């Protein structure tokens, strides 16, 4: 698949009078492609820390402009297959990374937290490479995402009062994510979450392969320990720490 170059005019879909101004060459993904589904989990309690994470003042996907344009091209290709991207995390403020580091060292280990790392202690997440002390997300060039089958029933919602099975359990037992079954839930710190894990079903492997291929068509590279994590080489740069805010004033 060839890289599609899209004119910068598509970015100006929202009047400057109504859109929040972002630093540098960042943009709200909704302003580039509003059809891409967003479920920014770190702005909610539905994540491995069980609460909104520092810096996430709004559930918005913020990206470098070139990253957003390439995501739009991926989305256009997927739409022909009745599929959609679903964003879990995009730009991540440096303060959020610091919040994750502090969380990993707080000595607590709740049942909700264990759903995301059932095989080992959360204190090992950084040592094992599941969370980085300096994240590519903070440059605006890294993303966490999945696929949604637009022909399926995606209506099941996360219930914080429900006792779900851990992220490696069969899809019917773990927390719903409104997306295809990739073999684990998002942010599952487990060998089963490795992109090439041998413990998943053929159908789950086909979905992972499909996602990796779709993203690779626009130059994105997958992180081998997380089927959901992709980055765009050369699009990064320095880390930022501006707060994620609502795209409307």
């Amino acid at each position: 698949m060839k890289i599609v170059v899209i004119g910068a005019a598509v970015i100006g879909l929202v009047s400057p009078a109504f859109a929040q101004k972002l630093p540098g060459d960042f943009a709200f993904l909704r302003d580039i492609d509003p059809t891409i589904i967003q479920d920014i989990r770190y702005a909610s309690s539905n994540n491995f820390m069980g609460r909104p994470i520092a810096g996430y003042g709004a559930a918005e996907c913020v990206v470098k402009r070139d990253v957003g344009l390439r995501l739009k091209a991926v989305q256009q290709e997927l739409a022909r297959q009745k599929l959609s991207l679903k964003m879990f995390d995009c730009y991540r403020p440096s303060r959020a990374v610091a919040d994750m580091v502090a969380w990993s060292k707080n000595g607590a280990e709740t049942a909700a937290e264990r759903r995301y790392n059932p095989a080992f202690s959360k204190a090992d997440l950084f040592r094992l490479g599941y969370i980085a002390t300096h994240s590519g997300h903070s440059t605006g060039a890294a993303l966490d995402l999945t696929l949604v089958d637009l022909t399926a029933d995606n209506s099941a919602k996360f219930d914080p009062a429900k006792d779900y099975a851990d992220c490696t359990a069969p899809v019917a037992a773990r927390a719903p994510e409104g997306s295809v079954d990739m073999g684990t839930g998002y942010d599952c710190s487990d060998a089963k979450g490795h992109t090439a894990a041998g413990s998943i079903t053929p159908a789950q492997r086909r979905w992972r392969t499909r996602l990796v291929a779709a993203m690779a068509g626009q130059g994105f590279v997958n992180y081998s320990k997380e089927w959901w994590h992709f980055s765009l080489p050369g699009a990064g740069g320095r880390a930022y720490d501006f707060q994620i805010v609502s795209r409307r004033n």
Side-chain angles (χ1 to χ4, degrees), residues 2-220:
K2 294 181 180 178
I3 292 177
V4 179
V5 179
I6 302 170
V10 299
I11 298 173
L13 298 177
V14 176
S15 166
F18 297 99
Q20 287 278 16
K21 182 174 175 57
L22 296 173
D25 58 346
F26 283 87
F28 289 103
L29 183 61
R30 292 188 202 277
D31 292 343
I32 297 174
D33 191 337
T35 72
I36 297 176
I37 300 167
Q38 297 189 28
D39 181 12
I40 307 302
R41 299 272 289 272
Y42 297 161
S44 73
S45 61
N46 183 16
N47 58 59
F48 66 90
M49 289 174 62
R51 60 167 173 79
I53 297 176
Y56 286 83
E60 289 286 353
C61 174
V62 174
V63 292
K64 288 286 183 70
R65 291 181 186 274
D66 183 46
V67 171
L69 291 171
R70 290 170 187 253
L71 287 173
K72 180 181 178 73
V74 174
Q75 181 77 346
Q76 289 174 333
E77 182 66 25
L78 291 173
R80 300 185 184 100
Q81 307 166 51
K82 294 182 168 47
L83 298 172
S84 173
L85 292 174
K86 183 173 190 175
M87 313 305 297
F88 288 130
D89 192 35
C90 304
Y91 159 72
R92 180 184 304 167
S94 293
R95 73 191 74 179
V97 179
D99 197 13
M100 292 176 182
V101 173
W103 165 85
S104 73
K105 298 177 179 178
N106 67 13
E109 199 85 59
T110 69
E113 292 170 352
R114 294 293 293 173
R115 290 207 315 265
Y116 290 88
N117 53 303
F120 49 82
S121 168
K122 70 182 187 182
D124 294 325
L125 289 172
F126 289 88
R127 178 179 62 81
L128 296 174
Y130 290 106
I131 303 177
T133 53
H134 300 283
S135 175
H137 282 274
S138 300
T139 72
L143 310 156
D144 293 343
L145 49 82
T146 189
L147 292 175
V148 174
D149 180 354
L150 298 176
T151 68
D153 179 4
N154 299 305
S155 61
K157 302 298 182 184
F158 174 74
D159 180 355
K162 189 169 181 179
D163 185 21
Y164 294 106
D166 73 60
C167 60
T168 66
V171 67
R174 63 180 188 259
E177 295 186 332
S179 54
V180 301
D181 179 12
M182 292 288 189
T184 75
Y186 165 56
D187 258 353
C188 188
S189 299
D190 188 88
K192 194 174 181 181
H194 296 185
T195 308
S199 54
I200 59 176
T201 69
Q204 292 162 350
R205 184 172 306 284
R206 285 193 295 271
W207 279 122
R208 292 189 187 189
T209 300
R210 201 164 179 178
L211 176 60
V212 170
M215 295 296 287
Q218 286 297 321
F220 291 99

